[in-house]
């Protein structure tokens, strides 16, 4: 596969996961019927993606290279997950979106840059980035929730 075809496959797969999570979780969120819950879930994810796109170039986003677009969608999933907790306790929509943006900018983006950085670069204390499978970033999302 070429660089772009691999990127497209990763983005499509992650978008599929995001939509599936939004549909499944809509049944568990008490605040709204699924016709309102799913679009709002996707809006929370979009807030995370926008935060990643806005801040990543300033903290090393280009360092993730070919993974930049897939990590953008992963940022959406990672913003959506902690927003579930805010929504489940009755958080207002604006507060939930602000939480998703701030969490993505302050937690997800720095962790993702270190996690998905190229293997050739060393991080703090001369160690290579760890967890190139993505579970570190997603565990941070669940921990934030």
């Amino acid at each position: 596969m070429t660089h772009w075809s691999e990127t497209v496959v990763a983005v499509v797969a992650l978008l599929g996961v995001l939509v599936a999570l939004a549909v499944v979780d809509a049944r568990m969120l008490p605040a709204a019927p699924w016709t309102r819950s799913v679009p709002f879930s996707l809006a929370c994810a979009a807030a995370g993606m926008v935060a990643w796109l806005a801040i990543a170039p300033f903290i090393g986003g280009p360092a993730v290279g070919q993974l930049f677009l897939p990590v953008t969608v992963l940022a959406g999933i990672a913003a959506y997950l902690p927003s579930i907790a805010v929504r489940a306790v009755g958080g207002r929509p604006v507060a939930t979106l602000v939480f998703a943006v701030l969490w993505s900018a302050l937690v997800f983006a720095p962790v993702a840059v270190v996690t998905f950085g190229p293997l050739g670069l060393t991080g703090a204390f001369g160690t290579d980035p760890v967890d190139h499978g993505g579970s570190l970033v997603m565990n941070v999302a669940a921990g934030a929730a």
Side-chain angles (χ1 to χ4, degrees), residues 11-89:
V11 166
V12 169
L14 288 169
L15 284 172
V17 168
L18 174 61
V19 171
L21 285 171
V23 169
V24 168
D25 289 341
R27 297 193 61 157
M28 293 183 271
L29 291 169
W34 75 269
T35 55
R36 284 188 298 175
S37 181
V38 171
F40 188 65
S41 294
L42 298 178
C44 291
M49 291 180 203
V50 168
W52 166 256
L53 290 172
I55 198 167
F58 298 108
I59 63 170
V64 298
Q66 147 180 10
L67 293 176
F68 187 76
L69 291 177
V71 172
T72 301
V73 181
L74 187 60
I77 294 171
Y80 162 70
L81 291 175
S83 73
I84 292 172
V86 177
R87 294 167 63 193
V89 296

Side-chain angles (χ1 to χ4, degrees), residues 85-145:
V86 177
R87 294 167 63 193
V89 296
R92 302 231 182 248
V94 172
T96 304
L97 290 172
V98 168
F99 175 80
V101 168
L102 290 176
W103 184 88
S104 293
L106 299 174
V107 178
F108 176 83
V111 171
V113 167
V114 171
T115 302
F116 295 107
L119 288 171
L121 296 177
T122 56
F125 311 111
T127 60
D128 283 333
V130 296
D131 186 32
H132 292 277
S135 66
L136 174 64
V137 180
M138 297 312 287
N139 284 328
V140 169

